[in-house]
Each structure stands twice: as C-alpha cells, then as structure tokens.
Amino acid sequence: MTKAKSIAAWIIIVILSTIFIFSSIAKIFGFSSQLNDEFAAWNLSDWQLVIGFILLVSTILFLFPVTFKFGVLLLSSYWGGAIAIHLSHDETPLAIVPIIFLILIWISYYMRNPNMFRRSP
C-alpha cells in the first residue's frame, strides 16, 4: 500500500470514528431529545443504551489495525440495520446517511486491503 493511500485510509477512518463515537455517546446518555423521540417512534427506546454500546465497541474495533476487520464487519451490520429500520418505517430519504457511512467503511477497508476482490489460486 502506498503512503498516500495509507494516509487517505486513516483520514477516512478517523473522521468516521469521530462521528460514530459522538453518535454512540449521544445514544448512551440520551443527549438528543430528537434522537430519543426517533427511538420511541421505532419502539426501540428500551434498546437505545445497548445500541449505543454496540456502536461504541464496533467503532473502537474499527480504529485499531489488529481488530479492524472485526470493526468493519460489526459496523457493516450496524449500519445495515440502520438502513433496514429507516426503510421499514417509510423513511427512505433518511436511509441515505447510513448508506453513505456504509460505503465509506467499505472504501476504507478496500484501501487497507486492496486484495479483497482478488481470486485466490
């Protein structure tokens, strides 16, 4: 991997991780009344704390090179679930944000592991 590609991957990873950590803290501590209202509308109020911790742990795994692959897997599952929640509640325009996050997670994975699409002999 070239140095420029490595730096670009780290920039994406750090930006995403910062956003995800702030999002998880907002979910854990219930800082946003709008967020709390959304979870109530989705009948997920009881799960808001758990969902916040899942996002936090997944993001921490995503940050470290040793556990990066597990973080990608967990964050892909997390954001896939967010997409499903928005689509199942007829909030199609709101599904754009998790889709963008998911694409950026996959781009960062590809930048760190460009052999992911190569066939093994």
Side-chain angles (χ1 to χ4, degrees), residues 26-112:
K27 287 174 180 63
I28 292 168
F29 294 106
F31 288 146
S32 170
S33 62
Q34 179 184 359
L35 182 65
N36 296 337
D37 293 342
E38 287 178 359
F39 272 84
W42 300 328
N43 295 324
L44 292 173
S45 295
D46 297 338
W47 291 94
Q48 184 171 341
L49 182 67
V50 174
I51 291 169
F53 275 113
I54 289 170
L55 179 57
L56 183 62
V57 170
S58 301
T59 303
I60 291 169
L61 292 173
F62 180 67
L63 267 172
F64 295 102
V66 175
T67 57
F68 179 73
K69 289 181 182 181
F70 296 114
V72 168
L73 177 66
L74 292 174
L75 285 174
S76 294
S77 301
Y78 178 88
W79 290 109
I83 293 165
I85 287 291
H86 285 299
L87 293 178
S88 67
H89 288 89
D90 293 326
E91 299 173 348
T92 304
L94 294 177
I96 298 298
V97 174
I99 290 170
I100 292 169
F101 284 150
L102 193 54
I103 290 169
L104 289 172
I105 289 166
W106 292 342
I107 288 171
S108 69
Y109 182 74
Y110 177 73
M111 290 175 80
R112 276 197 160 172

